[in-house]
PDB file of all heavy atoms in Angstrom:
ATOM      1  N   ASN M  12       0.782  -1.236   0.000  1.00  0.00           N
ATOM      2  CA  ASN M  12       0.000   0.000   0.000  1.00  0.00           C
ATOM      3  C   ASN M  12       0.813   1.284   0.000  1.00  0.00           C
ATOM      4  O   ASN M  12       0.283   2.342  -0.348  1.00  0.00           O
ATOM      5  CB  ASN M  12      -0.927   0.021   1.233  1.00  0.00           C
ATOM      6  CG  ASN M  12      -1.855  -1.174   1.281  1.00  0.00           C
ATOM      7  OD1 ASN M  12      -2.665  -1.389   0.392  1.00  0.00           O
ATOM      8  ND2 ASN M  12      -1.743  -1.984   2.333  1.00  0.00           N
ATOM      9  N   SER M  13       2.065   1.203   0.399  1.00  0.00           N
ATOM     10  CA  SER M  13       2.852   2.413   0.589  1.00  0.00           C
ATOM     11  C   SER M  13       3.823   2.615  -0.571  1.00  0.00           C
ATOM     12  O   SER M  13       3.852   1.856  -1.533  1.00  0.00           O
ATOM     13  CB  SER M  13       3.611   2.321   1.920  1.00  0.00           C
ATOM     14  OG  SER M  13       4.230   3.539   2.253  1.00  0.00           O
ATOM     15  N   SER M  14       4.627   3.669  -0.476  1.00  0.00           N
ATOM     16  CA  SER M  14       5.715   3.923  -1.415  1.00  0.00           C
ATOM     17  C   SER M  14       7.014   3.947  -0.625  1.00  0.00           C
ATOM     18  O   SER M  14       7.019   4.096   0.597  1.00  0.00           O
ATOM     19  CB  SER M  14       5.518   5.258  -2.136  1.00  0.00           C
ATOM     20  OG  SER M  14       5.630   6.346  -1.217  1.00  0.00           O
ATOM     21  N   PHE M  15       8.121   3.835  -1.345  1.00  0.00           N
ATOM     22  CA  PHE M  15       9.404   3.805  -0.651  1.00  0.00           C
ATOM     23  C   PHE M  15       9.667   5.113   0.103  1.00  0.00           C
ATOM     24  O   PHE M  15      10.142   5.088   1.234  1.00  0.00           O
ATOM     25  CB  PHE M  15      10.525   3.526  -1.643  1.00  0.00           C
ATOM     26  CG  PHE M  15      11.886   3.473  -0.991  1.00  0.00           C
ATOM     27  CD1 PHE M  15      12.206   2.463  -0.104  1.00  0.00           C
ATOM     28  CD2 PHE M  15      12.843   4.442  -1.256  1.00  0.00           C
ATOM     29  CE1 PHE M  15      13.456   2.404   0.507  1.00  0.00           C
ATOM     30  CE2 PHE M  15      14.092   4.397  -0.656  1.00  0.00           C
ATOM     31  CZ  PHE M  15      14.397   3.380   0.223  1.00  0.00           C
ATOM     32  N   THR M  16       9.359   6.240  -0.507  1.00  0.00           N
ATOM     33  CA  THR M  16       9.609   7.510   0.176  1.00  0.00           C
ATOM     34  C   THR M  16       8.695   7.685   1.392  1.00  0.00           C
ATOM     35  O   THR M  16       9.088   8.296   2.384  1.00  0.00           O
ATOM     36  CB  THR M  16       9.447   8.704  -0.776  1.00  0.00           C
ATOM     37  OG1 THR M  16       8.183   8.641  -1.441  1.00  0.00           O
ATOM     38  CG2 THR M  16      10.572   8.721  -1.798  1.00  0.00           C
ATOM     39  N   GLU M  17       7.482   7.130   1.325  1.00  0.00           N
ATOM     40  CA  GLU M  17       6.596   7.173   2.491  1.00  0.00           C
ATOM     41  C   GLU M  17       7.168   6.333   3.626  1.00  0.00           C
ATOM     42  O   GLU M  17       7.140   6.733   4.794  1.00  0.00           O
ATOM     43  CB  GLU M  17       5.195   6.693   2.122  1.00  0.00           C
ATOM     44  CG  GLU M  17       4.181   6.880   3.257  1.00  0.00           C
ATOM     45  CD  GLU M  17       2.779   6.458   2.885  1.00  0.00           C
ATOM     46  OE1 GLU M  17       2.621   5.433   2.177  1.00  0.00           O
ATOM     47  OE2 GLU M  17       1.831   7.142   3.303  1.00  0.00           O
ATOM     48  N   VAL M  18       7.720   5.157   3.305  1.00  0.00           N
ATOM     49  CA  VAL M  18       8.357   4.312   4.307  1.00  0.00           C
ATOM     50  C   VAL M  18       9.602   5.003   4.867  1.00  0.00           C
ATOM     51  O   VAL M  18       9.884   4.930   6.068  1.00  0.00           O
ATOM     52  CB  VAL M  18       8.706   2.930   3.717  1.00  0.00           C
ATOM     53  CG1 VAL M  18       9.535   2.102   4.693  1.00  0.00           C
ATOM     54  CG2 VAL M  18       7.437   2.174   3.339  1.00  0.00           C
ATOM     55  N   ALA M  19      10.332   5.694   4.001  1.00  0.00           N
ATOM     56  CA  ALA M  19      11.497   6.452   4.454  1.00  0.00           C
ATOM     57  C   ALA M  19      11.079   7.516   5.472  1.00  0.00           C
ATOM     58  O   ALA M  19      11.730   7.695   6.511  1.00  0.00           O
ATOM     59  CB  ALA M  19      12.197   7.106   3.264  1.00  0.00           C
ATOM     60  N   TYR M  20      10.012   8.229   5.170  1.00  0.00           N
ATOM     61  CA  TYR M  20       9.483   9.232   6.101  1.00  0.00           C
ATOM     62  C   TYR M  20       9.097   8.576   7.427  1.00  0.00           C
ATOM     63  O   TYR M  20       9.398   9.093   8.506  1.00  0.00           O
ATOM     64  CB  TYR M  20       8.270   9.925   5.473  1.00  0.00           C
ATOM     65  CG  TYR M  20       7.694  11.057   6.308  1.00  0.00           C
ATOM     66  CD1 TYR M  20       7.986  12.380   5.995  1.00  0.00           C
ATOM     67  CD2 TYR M  20       6.855  10.823   7.395  1.00  0.00           C
ATOM     68  CE1 TYR M  20       7.461  13.435   6.726  1.00  0.00           C
ATOM     69  CE2 TYR M  20       6.328  11.865   8.152  1.00  0.00           C
ATOM     70  CZ  TYR M  20       6.635  13.165   7.810  1.00  0.00           C
ATOM     71  OH  TYR M  20       6.121  14.215   8.550  1.00  0.00           O
ATOM     72  N   LEU M  21       8.423   7.432   7.337  1.00  0.00           N
ATOM     73  CA  LEU M  21       7.997   6.702   8.534  1.00  0.00           C
ATOM     74  C   LEU M  21       9.189   6.330   9.408  1.00  0.00           C
ATOM     75  O   LEU M  21       9.166   6.533  10.626  1.00  0.00           O
ATOM     76  CB  LEU M  21       7.225   5.453   8.116  1.00  0.00           C
ATOM     77  CG  LEU M  21       6.875   4.433   9.214  1.00  0.00           C
ATOM     78  CD1 LEU M  21       5.860   5.015  10.186  1.00  0.00           C
ATOM     79  CD2 LEU M  21       6.351   3.132   8.592  1.00  0.00           C
ATOM     80  N   LEU M  22      10.230   5.784   8.795  1.00  0.00           N
ATOM     81  CA  LEU M  22      11.399   5.364   9.557  1.00  0.00           C
ATOM     82  C   LEU M  22      12.122   6.557  10.173  1.00  0.00           C
ATOM     83  O   LEU M  22      12.587   6.489  11.315  1.00  0.00           O
ATOM     84  CB  LEU M  22      12.354   4.568   8.664  1.00  0.00           C
ATOM     85  CG  LEU M  22      11.869   3.174   8.252  1.00  0.00           C
ATOM     86  CD1 LEU M  22      12.784   2.567   7.195  1.00  0.00           C
ATOM     87  CD2 LEU M  22      11.783   2.237   9.458  1.00  0.00           C
ATOM     88  N   LEU M  23      12.204   7.666   9.432  1.00  0.00           N
ATOM     89  CA  LEU M  23      12.905   8.843   9.922  1.00  0.00           C
ATOM     90  C   LEU M  23      12.113   9.594  10.991  1.00  0.00           C
ATOM     91  O   LEU M  23      12.674  10.029  12.001  1.00  0.00           O
ATOM     92  CB  LEU M  23      13.212   9.804   8.774  1.00  0.00           C
ATOM     93  CG  LEU M  23      14.360   9.423   7.831  1.00  0.00           C
ATOM     94  CD1 LEU M  23      14.387  10.369   6.632  1.00  0.00           C
ATOM     95  CD2 LEU M  23      15.698   9.457   8.547  1.00  0.00           C
ATOM     96  N   ARG M  24      10.800   9.745  10.773  1.00  0.00           N
ATOM     97  CA  ARG M  24       9.995  10.628  11.631  1.00  0.00           C
ATOM     98  C   ARG M  24       9.148   9.889  12.662  1.00  0.00           C
ATOM     99  O   ARG M  24       8.659  10.496  13.600  1.00  0.00           O
ATOM    100  CB  ARG M  24       9.088  11.499  10.750  1.00  0.00           C
ATOM    101  CG  ARG M  24       9.796  12.242   9.633  1.00  0.00           C
ATOM    102  CD  ARG M  24      10.589  13.424  10.105  1.00  0.00           C
ATOM    103  NE  ARG M  24      11.376  14.022   9.029  1.00  0.00           N
ATOM    104  CZ  ARG M  24      10.902  14.873   8.124  1.00  0.00           C
ATOM    105  NH1 ARG M  24       9.631  15.277   8.179  1.00  0.00           N
ATOM    106  NH2 ARG M  24      11.699  15.381   7.185  1.00  0.00           N
ATOM    107  N   GLY M  25       8.951   8.588  12.475  1.00  0.00           N
ATOM    108  CA  GLY M  25       8.215   7.824  13.473  1.00  0.00           C
ATOM    109  C   GLY M  25       6.756   7.576  13.172  1.00  0.00           C
ATOM    110  O   GLY M  25       6.137   6.684  13.749  1.00  0.00           O
ATOM    111  N   GLU M  26       6.154   8.381  12.285  1.00  0.00           N
ATOM    112  CA  GLU M  26       4.741   8.239  11.935  1.00  0.00           C
ATOM    113  C   GLU M  26       4.569   8.358  10.427  1.00  0.00           C
ATOM    114  O   GLU M  26       5.401   8.964   9.743  1.00  0.00           O
ATOM    115  CB  GLU M  26       3.878   9.317  12.626  1.00  0.00           C
ATOM    116  CG  GLU M  26       3.890   9.265  14.150  1.00  0.00           C
ATOM    117  CD  GLU M  26       3.195   8.036  14.725  1.00  0.00           C
ATOM    118  OE1 GLU M  26       2.401   7.411  13.980  1.00  0.00           O
ATOM    119  OE2 GLU M  26       3.418   7.707  15.902  1.00  0.00           O
ATOM    120  N   LEU M  27       3.486   7.774   9.908  1.00  0.00           N
ATOM    121  CA  LEU M  27       3.173   7.933   8.496  1.00  0.00           C
ATOM    122  C   LEU M  27       2.783   9.388   8.225  1.00  0.00           C
ATOM    123  O   LEU M  27       2.112  10.019   9.042  1.00  0.00           O
ATOM    124  CB  LEU M  27       2.024   7.008   8.088  1.00  0.00           C
ATOM    125  CG  LEU M  27       2.355   5.519   7.979  1.00  0.00           C
ATOM    126  CD1 LEU M  27       1.075   4.700   7.817  1.00  0.00           C
ATOM    127  CD2 LEU M  27       3.307   5.228   6.827  1.00  0.00           C
ATOM    128  N   PRO M  28       3.197   9.932   7.087  1.00  0.00           N
ATOM    129  CA  PRO M  28       2.885  11.332   6.796  1.00  0.00           C
ATOM    130  C   PRO M  28       1.466  11.498   6.277  1.00  0.00           C
ATOM    131  O   PRO M  28       0.874  10.558   5.735  1.00  0.00           O
ATOM    132  CB  PRO M  28       3.902  11.674   5.705  1.00  0.00           C
ATOM    133  CG  PRO M  28       4.089  10.365   4.971  1.00  0.00           C
ATOM    134  CD  PRO M  28       3.996   9.283   6.031  1.00  0.00           C
ATOM    135  N   ASN M  29       0.902  12.711   6.419  1.00  0.00           N
ATOM    136  CA  ASN M  29      -0.309  13.022   5.690  1.00  0.00           C
ATOM    137  C   ASN M  29       0.092  13.450   4.277  1.00  0.00           C
ATOM    138  O   ASN M  29       1.285  13.497   3.931  1.00  0.00           O
ATOM    139  CB  ASN M  29      -1.139  14.096   6.406  1.00  0.00           C
ATOM    140  CG  ASN M  29      -0.386  15.409   6.596  1.00  0.00           C
ATOM    141  OD1 ASN M  29       0.432  15.800   5.753  1.00  0.00           O
ATOM    142  ND2 ASN M  29      -0.668  16.109   7.691  1.00  0.00           N
ATOM    143  N   ALA M  30      -0.884  13.783   3.446  1.00  0.00           N
ATOM    144  CA  ALA M  30      -0.606  14.078   2.040  1.00  0.00           C
ATOM    145  C   ALA M  30       0.350  15.259   1.886  1.00  0.00           C
ATOM    146  O   ALA M  30       1.274  15.231   1.067  1.00  0.00           O
ATOM    147  CB  ALA M  30      -1.910  14.351   1.296  1.00  0.00           C
ATOM    148  N   GLU M  31       0.141  16.314   2.692  1.00  0.00           N
ATOM    149  CA  GLU M  31       0.996  17.504   2.596  1.00  0.00           C
ATOM    150  C   GLU M  31       2.419  17.199   3.057  1.00  0.00           C
ATOM    151  O   GLU M  31       3.393  17.633   2.417  1.00  0.00           O
ATOM    152  CB  GLU M  31       0.400  18.634   3.441  1.00  0.00           C
ATOM    153  CG  GLU M  31       1.170  19.946   3.325  1.00  0.00           C
ATOM    154  CD  GLU M  31       0.571  21.067   4.165  1.00  0.00           C
ATOM    155  OE1 GLU M  31      -0.528  20.857   4.742  1.00  0.00           O
ATOM    156  OE2 GLU M  31       1.182  22.151   4.263  1.00  0.00           O
ATOM    157  N   GLU M  32       2.560  16.461   4.156  1.00  0.00           N
ATOM    158  CA  GLU M  32       3.883  16.112   4.673  1.00  0.00           C
ATOM    159  C   GLU M  32       4.663  15.244   3.689  1.00  0.00           C
ATOM    160  O   GLU M  32       5.862  15.443   3.487  1.00  0.00           O
ATOM    161  CB  GLU M  32       3.739  15.388   6.017  1.00  0.00           C
ATOM    162  CG  GLU M  32       3.278  16.286   7.164  1.00  0.00           C
ATOM    163  CD  GLU M  32       2.860  15.499   8.392  1.00  0.00           C
ATOM    164  OE1 GLU M  32       2.502  14.310   8.253  1.00  0.00           O
ATOM    165  OE2 GLU M  32       2.857  16.087   9.498  1.00  0.00           O
ATOM    166  N   LEU M  33       3.961  14.303   3.055  1.00  0.00           N
ATOM    167  CA  LEU M  33       4.634  13.440   2.081  1.00  0.00           C
ATOM    168  C   LEU M  33       5.053  14.242   0.848  1.00  0.00           C
ATOM    169  O   LEU M  33       6.153  14.047   0.318  1.00  0.00           O
ATOM    170  CB  LEU M  33       3.724  12.282   1.676  1.00  0.00           C
ATOM    171  CG  LEU M  33       4.323  11.283   0.681  1.00  0.00           C
ATOM    172  CD1 LEU M  33       5.606  10.652   1.235  1.00  0.00           C
ATOM    173  CD2 LEU M  33       3.313  10.187   0.320  1.00  0.00           C
ATOM    174  N   ALA M  34       4.194  15.150   0.413  1.00  0.00           N
ATOM    175  CA  ALA M  34       4.521  15.986  -0.743  1.00  0.00           C
ATOM    176  C   ALA M  34       5.749  16.843  -0.453  1.00  0.00           C
ATOM    177  O   ALA M  34       6.642  16.982  -1.306  1.00  0.00           O
ATOM    178  CB  ALA M  34       3.335  16.863  -1.116  1.00  0.00           C
ATOM    179  N   ASP M  35       5.824  17.420   0.744  1.00  0.00           N
ATOM    180  CA  ASP M  35       6.980  18.238   1.127  1.00  0.00           C
ATOM    181  C   ASP M  35       8.252  17.392   1.193  1.00  0.00           C
ATOM    182  O   ASP M  35       9.322  17.820   0.753  1.00  0.00           O
ATOM    183  CB  ASP M  35       6.730  18.905   2.490  1.00  0.00           C
ATOM    184  CG  ASP M  35       5.720  20.029   2.420  1.00  0.00           C
ATOM    185  OD1 ASP M  35       5.424  20.500   1.298  1.00  0.00           O
ATOM    186  OD2 ASP M  35       5.211  20.447   3.493  1.00  0.00           O
ATOM    187  N   PHE M  36       8.129  16.182   1.747  1.00  0.00           N
ATOM    188  CA  PHE M  36       9.282  15.284   1.861  1.00  0.00           C
ATOM    189  C   PHE M  36       9.776  14.870   0.477  1.00  0.00           C
ATOM    190  O   PHE M  36      10.987  14.903   0.204  1.00  0.00           O
ATOM    191  CB  PHE M  36       8.907  14.058   2.688  1.00  0.00           C
ATOM    192  CG  PHE M  36      10.045  13.104   2.930  1.00  0.00           C
ATOM    193  CD1 PHE M  36      11.071  13.430   3.812  1.00  0.00           C
ATOM    194  CD2 PHE M  36      10.088  11.871   2.294  1.00  0.00           C
ATOM    195  CE1 PHE M  36      12.125  12.549   4.041  1.00  0.00           C
ATOM    196  CE2 PHE M  36      11.127  10.985   2.518  1.00  0.00           C
ATOM    197  CZ  PHE M  36      12.142  11.323   3.399  1.00  0.00           C
ATOM    198  N   ASN M  37       8.850  14.499  -0.408  1.00  0.00           N
ATOM    199  CA  ASN M  37       9.220  14.121  -1.774  1.00  0.00           C
ATOM    200  C   ASN M  37       9.891  15.288  -2.505  1.00  0.00           C
ATOM    201  O   ASN M  37      10.848  15.103  -3.262  1.00  0.00           O
ATOM    202  CB  ASN M  37       7.993  13.654  -2.549  1.00  0.00           C
ATOM    203  CG  ASN M  37       7.575  12.239  -2.186  1.00  0.00           C
ATOM    204  OD1 ASN M  37       8.392  11.418  -1.763  1.00  0.00           O
ATOM    205  ND2 ASN M  37       6.292  11.931  -2.352  1.00  0.00           N
ATOM    206  N   TYR M  38       9.376  16.507  -2.274  1.00  0.00           N
ATOM    207  CA  TYR M  38       9.952  17.699  -2.890  1.00  0.00           C
ATOM    208  C   TYR M  38      11.404  17.879  -2.434  1.00  0.00           C
ATOM    209  O   TYR M  38      12.294  18.141  -3.258  1.00  0.00           O
ATOM    210  CB  TYR M  38       9.112  18.923  -2.518  1.00  0.00           C
ATOM    211  CG  TYR M  38       9.603  20.220  -3.138  1.00  0.00           C
ATOM    212  CD1 TYR M  38       9.121  20.638  -4.378  1.00  0.00           C
ATOM    213  CD2 TYR M  38      10.532  21.025  -2.474  1.00  0.00           C
ATOM    214  CE1 TYR M  38       9.562  21.832  -4.953  1.00  0.00           C
ATOM    215  CE2 TYR M  38      10.976  22.216  -3.037  1.00  0.00           C
ATOM    216  CZ  TYR M  38      10.495  22.607  -4.270  1.00  0.00           C
ATOM    217  OH  TYR M  38      10.943  23.787  -4.838  1.00  0.00           O
ATOM    218  N   THR M  39      11.631  17.723  -1.127  1.00  0.00           N
ATOM    219  CA  THR M  39      12.976  17.887  -0.573  1.00  0.00           C
ATOM    220  C   THR M  39      13.940  16.848  -1.130  1.00  0.00           C
ATOM    221  O   THR M  39      15.052  17.168  -1.553  1.00  0.00           O
ATOM    222  CB  THR M  39      12.935  17.794   0.964  1.00  0.00           C
ATOM    223  OG1 THR M  39      12.106  18.824   1.491  1.00  0.00           O
ATOM    224  CG2 THR M  39      14.332  17.915   1.559  1.00  0.00           C
ATOM    225  N   ILE M  40      13.509  15.585  -1.114  1.00  0.00           N
ATOM    226  CA  ILE M  40      14.374  14.509  -1.602  1.00  0.00           C
ATOM    227  C   ILE M  40      14.669  14.694  -3.090  1.00  0.00           C
ATOM    228  O   ILE M  40      15.824  14.564  -3.530  1.00  0.00           O
ATOM    229  CB  ILE M  40      13.737  13.134  -1.336  1.00  0.00           C
ATOM    230  CG1 ILE M  40      13.583  12.881   0.173  1.00  0.00           C
ATOM    231  CG2 ILE M  40      14.553  12.025  -1.979  1.00  0.00           C
ATOM    232  CD1 ILE M  40      14.879  12.897   0.941  1.00  0.00           C
TER     233      ILE M  40
END
């Protein structure tokens, strides 16, 4: 169900991101 960058966010931050948080993280990466 997830994507690799979403799992990366989860491992780094401790929680699954919402849509805005994931978009910001993907933008940064």
